[in-house]
Amino acid sequence: MKPAERNRQPLLEPPTTMMKHWLSTTLSRLGIALTRQRRPSRDAPPPVFEPLEPRLLLNGALPMIDRIEADNRGLIDLHVTAFLNPTTVTADAVRVTTAGKDLLFGTADDVQAPLTVSYDDQARRIRIQADVPLDARYRVEVDGDAIRDLFATPLDAEFNGPGLPTGDGTAGGDLVFFTRKASSPTARLLTTAGEIRVELFPQDAPKTVANFIAIANRGDYDGVVFHRLVKDFVAQGGGFQADPLLAPAPAVDPVVNEFKRSNVRGTIAMAKRGNDPNSATNQWF
């Protein structure tokens, strides 16, 4: 043997190649084939990911009524803390009654009022319109077991007092309350742009307030329009109807001027003719 041949070492395969050979042989004995993953072609379409479905956050809170409003014409608003299943908010879940000849509630001669019920999902509000006599005291009953939220949880409905959320911590139960005359009258103007609340001051303007309430109670303000709108200055209504458009509302006798409060921004006053302070009728601004 030549000296150069004695120093020659056998050539070894690179470690990576040896590992692949060993792994392929081992997997082959186990009946597993080793395949090489091909790179995607540049012309292959990009992967498509399905969009995530919307999910509702579960907070575990029971649906309750956190605000109640009822007026002297049988309009009742129940504001709830959760989104409700609209199919469960029906007239079958509500009962409105007035006292009979004995003037007592809960007796055989109670009179059940015809009513309609609607639900505004955006406002989370149940609206009840009951056909009750004007200014009559009435009783409202709501079946909390019948009205459900989107997760089929019954309304926690027990009445806890004016200004307090309903409920006793257990789903279901009945909401029962009676209306009463407010110590300070408040008018609610329901418009296409939202609700306006007007606090009335009979101690300062008794004749003006009485005239305004009488018109509202007759329904003569129902369906009237704001016929005068001037940005940053005035919004005036009460005198003309929407249907037929701008038809005059029923006329009323003028009221003597009762000036005690300034008509500043955010307040409402009766509109008058320019040179006659005692000419207020049904229009306000």
Side-chain angles (χ1 to χ4, degrees), residues 46-257:
V48 178
F49 298 95
E50 294 185 2
L52 294 177
E53 297 178 359
R55 293 289 187 267
L56 292 173
L57 182 63
L58 304 178
N59 57 16
L62 295 176
M64 300 181 298
I65 299 169
D66 61 355
R67 184 155 53 98
I68 299 173
E69 298 167 320
D71 68 15
N72 65 329
R73 297 176 63 189
L75 180 64
I76 307 145
D77 283 344
L78 308 177
H79 299 264
V80 296
T81 59
F83 294 103
L84 302 179
N85 180 346
T87 63
T88 67
V89 186
T90 67
D92 293 334
V94 180
R95 190 167 183 260
V96 176
T97 55
T98 56
K101 293 182 179 180
D102 60 4
L103 302 180
L104 299 174
F105 285 94
T107 58
D109 68 344
D110 283 0
V111 180
Q112 185 169 346
L115 54 82
T116 59
V117 177
S118 61
Y119 172 62
D120 186 332
D121 187 64
Q122 184 175 2
R124 291 191 297 190
R125 179 191 63 216
I126 301 171
R127 173 159 288 174
I128 305 163
Q129 180 62 71
D131 186 6
V132 297
L134 181 65
D135 289 331
R137 189 167 183 247
Y138 53 89
R139 168 178 167 153
V140 180
E141 302 171 70
V142 178
D143 184 357
D145 291 291
I147 298 177
R148 306 290 180 104
D149 68 7
L150 298 180
F151 307 104
T153 304
L155 194 64
D156 192 5
E158 287 84 0
F159 184 69
N160 291 319
L164 298 175
T166 64
D168 60 359
T170 302
D174 293 336
L175 168 69
V176 180
F177 68 91
F178 298 85
T179 60
R180 64 182 183 183
K181 189 174 183 179
S183 57
S184 177
T186 300
R188 286 196 296 164
L189 310 182
L190 307 181
T191 77
T192 55
E195 182 175 313
I196 303 172
R197 292 174 173 271
V198 181
E199 184 179 1
L200 306 178
F201 299 98
Q203 68 277 12
D204 294 335
K207 294 180 181 179
T208 303
V209 169
N211 177 66
F212 184 91
I213 292 177
I215 296 172
N217 285 341
R218 288 197 302 268
D220 290 346
Y221 279 146
D222 296 352
V224 298
V225 298
F226 288 94
H227 62 275
R228 183 187 180 202
L229 293 170
V230 181
K231 186 177 180 180
D232 296 327
F233 174 57
V234 70
Q236 185 171 335
F240 299 93
Q241 298 174 342
D243 187 18
L245 184 61
L246 295 183
V252 298
D253 294 332
V255 179
V256 175
N257 186 41

Side-chain angles (χ1 to χ4, degrees), residues 22-68:
W22 174 85
L23 181 60
S24 177
T25 303
T26 303
L27 293 177
S28 178
R29 292 174 181 174
L30 296 175
I32 302 174
L34 181 65
T35 59
R36 182 178 180 181
Q37 185 176 4
R38 299 178 60 186
R39 293 184 179 180
S41 171
R42 293 183 178 179
D43 298 331
V48 178
F49 298 95
E50 294 185 2
L52 294 177
E53 297 178 359
R55 293 289 187 267
L56 292 173
L57 182 63
L58 304 178
N59 57 16
L62 295 176
M64 300 181 298
I65 299 169
D66 61 355
R67 184 155 53 98
I68 299 173

